[in-house]
Amino acid sequence: MRHDESVPPTPRRPVLLAAAAALMCLGLAGCGGDGGTAQARPGPSATGTVTPSADPAPPSPSRSPTPSRTSASPSAPPSKPPAAPSGPLSGRTVVIDPGHNPANHLHTAEINRQVEIGTGHKECDTTGTSTNGGYAEAAFNLDVAHRLRTLLRAQGATVILTYDGDREFGPCVDERARIGNKAHADAVVSIHADGSAVGNRGFHVILPASVRGGGADTSKIVAPSRDLGTRIAGLFVRSTGSSPSNYVGGNTGLDVRKDLGGLNLSTVPKVFIECGNMRDPKDAALLTSPGWRQKAAQGIADGISSFLKG
């Protein structure tokens, strides 16, 4: 859903970016530092041939994983990640934030608690959306996060997840931001899928707006976050064949928002990615495919790697 603590989507002011830079971005192994963007091409996604992932099979689309009842307390920090092999991203830290939690719906009182987000107050967290077939967004988010972690670790990055099935609910959106801040992350990506109307298709990357107040100050992260998001958008297109959103961002694949605590409270470069619309049958067919999820993780990994390598 549009996200992380948001209400149902409404189209927002388009982000104006150069289409020529997008084409260059898609044709290269990584986007340059000139602010290239995703190719603006509305219409059905071209999925191509999916390749089954070598990772363990994700949960069945008909149900979501249930965290262990021996989970850490809601305020417990993420466990220390294992050492990564040496590689081009050695010495870099990436925080992956899988949106929501499969068990949030069992803890409505806790996730409805209001927290400060810089521009006001919002719920601690929300339940997220699901496909019409019952595949929960939270399960999708965690599955893609695991695949992304594997890809980044193979390049030598230290990877931290904001949660990994080890909590009964949450974390709250303000804590998700603090985890990236405390890790001094070089990049943070929050994984999501949207819950919009049928016919609304495609992905979009959400960038932080300029926000100052209530403990939030994004002045130092707006520019690098845009660079990170632009690279992810372009390389997500190349990896998945999906088109930028036809209902958010003016077909650029990018959207700027100031109502998300996870972005407002971040002090390190951070973006959200809405990988598709779970409520559209065509997008849902992609999101429930393990092969497509692997492609999605690869596109995000490529974007992060391009950003970190400069």
Side-chain angles (χ1 to χ4, degrees):
M1 285 178 88
R2 301 196 52 199
H3 259 64
D4 45 7
E5 58 270 32
S6 60
V7 296
T10 55
R12 287 178 169 76
R13 170 184 266 173
V15 179
L16 300 180
L17 297 168
L23 295 175
M24 179 179 295
C25 174
L26 297 177
L28 299 175
C31 298
D34 58 356
T37 184
Q39 183 181 13
R41 54 186 183 105
S45 301
T47 60
T49 303
V50 295
T51 303
S53 167
D55 289 348
S60 167
S62 63
R63 62 181 184 276
S64 305
T66 301
S68 167
R69 290 303 170 188
T70 60
S71 63
S73 69
S75 60
S79 58
K80 184 177 180 180
S86 61
L89 299 185
S90 292
R92 299 302 193 112
T93 298
V94 178
V95 171
I96 305 172
D97 178 28
H100 313 292
N101 185 313
N104 271 358
H105 68 285
L106 301 175
H107 299 274
T108 54
E110 292 90 343
I111 68 171
N112 284 335
R113 179 173 64 86
Q114 297 285 298
V115 298
E116 170 66 48
I117 66 164
T119 54
H121 292 79
K122 284 286 187 72
E123 297 88 349
C124 155
D125 203 6
T126 56
T127 58
T129 188
S130 67
T131 66
N132 292 333
Y135 183 40
E137 180 200 350
F140 168 86
N141 298 338
L142 195 55
D143 179 79
V144 173
H146 288 159
R147 296 170 188 273
L148 178 57
R149 176 175 62 185
T150 298
L151 293 168
L152 293 173
R153 279 182 177 170
Q155 297 186 66
T158 297
V159 182
I160 298 170
L161 266 63
T162 55
Y163 83 97
D164 192 9
D166 52 355
R167 316 174 59 122
E168 294 188 1
F169 62 89
C172 293
V173 295
D174 56 339
E175 184 184 354
R176 291 174 186 267
R178 286 195 299 271
I179 290 169
N181 298 345
K182 184 177 180 181
H184 302 288
D186 296 291
V188 185
V189 177
S190 190
I191 310 295
H192 288 273
D194 212 349
S196 187
V198 174
N200 289 345
R201 298 197 61 199
F203 76 92
H204 63 279
V205 179
I206 304 175
L207 313 175
S210 180
V211 172
R212 201 166 192 176
D217 183 356
T218 62
S219 58
K220 293 182 179 179
I221 71 163
V222 167
S225 296
R226 173 173 287 276
D227 185 18
L228 171 63
T230 299
R231 292 171 188 258
I232 289 175
L235 293 166
F236 193 85
V237 170
R238 191 180 73 172
S239 179
T240 64
S242 291
S243 296
S245 170
N246 63 7
Y247 63 102
V248 173
N251 295 308
T252 65
L254 301 175
D255 187 30
V256 177
R257 292 177 62 176
K258 63 180 181 180
D259 61 326
L260 301 179
L263 294 180
N264 292 355
L265 300 174
S266 182
T267 59
V268 294
K270 182 174 182 179
V271 300
F272 280 41
I273 181 167
E274 300 278 4
C275 296
N277 176 18
M278 290 197 127
R279 290 301 193 177
D280 179 83
K282 292 180 180 178
D283 268 12
L286 302 177
L287 298 167
T288 54
S289 163
W292 189 89
R293 291 197 297 271
Q294 187 65 26
K295 290 182 177 182
Q298 186 67 63
I300 299 168
D302 290 345
I304 294 171
S305 179
S306 173
F307 171 74
L308 296 180
K309 292 175 183 177

